[in-house]
Amino acid sequence: MSAVALVLVQIAYPLTSGAGRDRVTVAVVLLSAGTALAHAAAARGIRYATGLLAIVSGLGLVAEIVGTATGVPFGCYEYAVDRLGPALAGVPLVVPLAWTGGLYPVWVVAGLLTRGTLARIGLMAVGAVGWDLFLDPQMVADGQWRWCDTDSGLPGLASIPYTNYLGWLAVALLMGALLTGLERTSRTVSAGLSTPDSRAGLDTVSPVFGSNAVPVAVFLWTWLGSVLAHAVFLGLPVSAGYGGVGMAVLGVPLLRHLWFCRRQPVPIG
């Protein structure tokens, strides 16, 4: 249900403005994080979900606090005041939750596409940057944060410096390494939702989505829905292109895998 509510609230985003849009933004973050944590708890247990929150939101918060104070690792930037609720050291507390809500589906999909640990971490980091190619232009356009350097970014997105994406890549790589350790040490909960293999395929339960239906669907909605929203409703065609290509690194193989599983299911076990 939270995933359905997430989609509905995101659809409402382009229809709002001002304080109403700020409330929608907070609602999107809370629903995305809640959806991720609910799935993680159901599929792998409370211990795993707690570790996921501690690693992704915890490290995200540290990176944001250090980043706004020193410019490392993303570059010099600052958040708008009193737009997204309570803040710590100038960082709205919903921001680290956004890391969890946004990166968990990427982490799951990366695990479905490869069984190699390093490859999974690398794919997750690339997917994280792809997601930020949507997120940053959208939030900057809405005035949620601003960059000190506004002329050294990608062609068409000069207001967001290259350092931002390098910082995302570095932080996501560290998160991926820590999540790998978490999956190796946490106890897998098997309740018809998962298998002992942390990278169980899409056909664990059904030949198409299986136990990972929710994060896979959220990933696809984030990728394809953001392309549509940026290109048509938000007036951000450049970020529609960049983000679409960035997330396609995972999205295209995922669609191919889903099509293959639908046509020719491969048994697990």
Side-chain angles (χ1 to χ4, degrees):
M1 289 302 294
S2 60
V4 174
L6 172 61
V7 171
L8 294 176
V9 172
Q10 286 180 318
I11 290 173
Y13 180 89
L15 306 177
T16 59
S17 60
R21 178 169 287 188
D22 290 346
R23 288 191 289 269
V24 169
T25 301
V26 172
V28 167
V29 172
L30 295 179
L31 285 168
S32 64
T35 299
L37 293 171
H39 179 270
R44 297 186 59 79
I46 295 295
R47 177 181 175 183
Y48 177 80
T50 302
L52 170 73
L53 179 65
I55 290 171
V56 182
S57 287
L59 184 55
L61 178 60
V62 171
E64 296 282 357
I65 290 175
V66 173
T68 53
T70 69
V72 178
F74 308 108
C76 175
Y77 68 107
E78 64 179 3
Y79 283 95
V81 177
D82 296 331
R83 292 279 306 272
L84 298 177
L88 176 64
V91 178
L93 294 178
V94 297
V95 169
L97 292 177
W99 283 82
T100 293
L103 295 195
Y104 178 69
V106 176
W107 174 246
V108 171
V109 169
L112 300 174
L113 299 178
T114 178
R115 292 187 179 274
T117 298
L118 293 180
R120 184 184 189 184
I121 294 172
L123 275 178
M124 185 258 207
V126 171
V129 174
W131 177 54
D132 188 57
L133 285 166
F134 287 125
L135 178 67
D136 234 282
Q138 181 176 332
M139 294 296 102
V140 168
D142 196 37
Q144 296 295 354
W145 59 80
R146 68 175 187 85
W147 294 91
C148 304
D149 180 354
T150 58
D151 59 4
S152 63
L154 296 168
L157 288 180
S159 61
I160 302 168
Y162 288 105
T163 53
N164 172 61
Y165 309 113
L166 295 175
W168 268 78
L169 187 68
V171 172
L173 286 171
L174 179 55
M175 287 178 176
L178 294 174
L179 287 173
T180 298
L182 173 67
E183 293 200 348
R184 288 176 175 172
T185 58
S186 64
R187 180 175 63 88
T188 299
V189 175
S190 179
L193 294 171
S194 63
T195 71
D197 186 350
S198 66
R199 295 180 297 279
L202 295 176
D203 47 355
T204 302
V205 175
S206 76
V208 179
F209 288 118
S211 65
N212 298 294
V214 170
V216 167
V218 170
F219 175 91
L220 290 173
W221 166 253
T222 301
W223 174 36
L224 301 176
S226 293
V227 170
L228 177 64
H230 281 232
V232 177
F233 299 106
L234 298 177
L236 300 169
V238 176
S239 57
Y242 281 126
V245 172
M247 292 193 74
V249 174
L250 280 77
V252 171
L254 174 63
L255 290 176
R256 186 166 58 243
H257 184 68
L258 289 173
W259 178 255
F260 175 78
C261 288
R262 189 184 71 88
R263 291 173 59 88
Q264 187 178 349
V266 179
I268 296 294

